[in-house]
Every structure is written in C-alpha cells, then in structure tokens.
Amino acid sequence: MSKWLNVGKIVNTHGIRGEVRVISRTDFPEERYKKGNTLYVDFGDGSSLVPVVIAAHRVHKQFDLLQFEEHPNINDVEKYKGHLLKTPADAAVDLDEGEFFYHDIIGCTVMTEEGEELGKIKEILSPGANDVWVVKRKNFGPDILIPYIPPVVKKVDIENKQVTIHLMDGLI
C-alpha cells in the first residue's frame, strides 16, 4: 500500500461550470494544481481513490478553485464535496536547501541550544513573510510560536525529528 499526501479538502462547488472550492493543505499549491496534474479524490472508505486531472486553477478569496478535465458542470463534481484530494507521496516536489515539507516538520521535537526540550511542533502557520511553527509545550501552558528565520531556527534534523532553536528574549 503506497503512502498518500493530503493536498486539500473539497468544501463546495463554485458556479455551474464544474469548479470546486478547495481549502489547501499543501505546501506547494502552484505545483500541485498545475494544469494536467493528476490528483485523487478520497471518498474515505479506504479503498476508492478517483483520479481527476486539473484543467484549470485560480485563487478566489481564501480558496483554490479547481476545474477537472471531463467535468464541465456542477453535476459532475457535486459528488466530490466534502472529500480529500490526495497525491502519492512519491510525487513530492524537489526542495532547495533549508526548505522542508510540512509533514516533515510537524511532529518534530523542539530543543533549545542549551538542550532543554520545549515541546513538539503541532502545526505551521503561513501569515506572510515567513512561516511560524506552533509548538505544543512539553508541560502545560500556551503554545509557543517560533518564526522560521535564521536567527531563531538553528538546526533542523528531519531524520531524528528534532529542531534546535536559539531562545531569544521574549520568545516564550
């Protein structure tokens, strides 16, 4: 059984020409939603993944709007509402140095340069200029927000699922 990556969730249809509204969960929507790419609709029953080929992509408000080949109207895509779009894990995008997939970062243990464990990364926010890693504290307390910038994030060890940070004043 191959591993699949969640690309997004189809939350609704849009208009009458077969477009669907997608809330993206992918790191690279511009790559995943390229015309001609094949994604798979997961109906959640564990066995059926339906291939769909991207015919068009555009952004509207906070949604990615997709149109699929051979799905020219709303009746063709209504059945996909509420289901996940997936891609095979081996269809991964090549990364430059210092870039990581969200699924590689989420779950990493965050350590200070002094060796103190702060917690685990539970999600990644993309508010603008740089990503912000949300760390669930090892003990109780509010989440820690770590900006992914060189002065703060010193080392990312994907193999050992560990991130080392420089603890700046006011960070926690």
Side-chain angles (χ1 to χ4, degrees), residues 18-74:
E19 283 185 305
V20 293
R21 288 184 186 200
V22 175
I23 295 178
S24 291
R25 294 183 181 171
T26 181
D27 310 13
F28 306 99
E30 65 283 348
E31 290 291 322
R32 298 290 184 210
Y33 303 144
K34 263 189 196 168
K35 185 176 180 175
N37 279 2
T38 300
L39 297 175
Y40 297 83
V41 179
D42 183 358
F43 282 94
D45 59 9
S47 63
S48 61
L49 290 168
V50 176
V52 289
V53 178
I54 306 294
H57 167 245
R58 64 188 177 104
V59 176
H60 178 68
K61 298 184 181 175
Q62 77 269 30
F63 299 103
D64 285 289
L65 298 181
L66 303 179
Q67 196 167 26
F68 305 127
E69 290 181 3
E70 300 178 18
H71 293 75
N73 72 55
I74 190 172

Side-chain angles (χ1 to χ4, degrees), residues 104 108 156-162:
D104 287 335
C108 284
V156 178
D157 184 352
I158 296 300
E159 205 169 287
N160 294 313
K161 298 291 281 180
Q162 188 169 315

Side-chain angles (χ1 to χ4, degrees), residues 12 21 25 41 56 70 103 115-117 122 127-129 151 153 166:
N12 210 343
R21 288 184 186 200
R25 294 183 181 171
V41 179
E70 300 178 18
H103 69 269
E116 178 189 355
E117 182 179 336
K122 70 174 195 175
V153 178
H166 173 71

Side-chain angles (χ1 to χ4, degrees), residues 1 3 6 9 18-19 31-32 36 43 45 53 59 69 75 78 90 93-94 103 109 129 134 144-145 172:
M1 183 171 170
K3 185 175 178 184
N6 289 341
K9 182 174 183 176
E19 283 185 305
E31 290 291 322
R32 298 290 184 210
F43 282 94
D45 59 9
V53 178
V59 176
E69 290 181 3
N75 298 322
E78 187 77 32
D90 58 8
V93 175
D94 291 331
H103 69 269
T109 301
V134 181
I144 305 167
L145 302 177
I172 59 171

Side-chain angles (χ1 to χ4, degrees), residues 96-135:
D96 293 332
E97 179 143 351
E99 291 183 338
F100 307 96
F101 291 110
Y102 285 9
H103 69 269
D104 287 335
I105 297 299
I106 294 173
C108 284
T109 301
V110 177
M111 307 289 288
T112 65
E113 290 175 307
E114 292 75 31
E116 178 189 355
E117 182 179 336
L118 297 178
K120 292 192 182 293
I121 298 171
K122 70 174 195 175
E123 71 178 302
I124 298 173
L125 306 175
S126 298
N130 53 275
D131 287 347
V132 175
W133 296 350
V134 181
V135 178

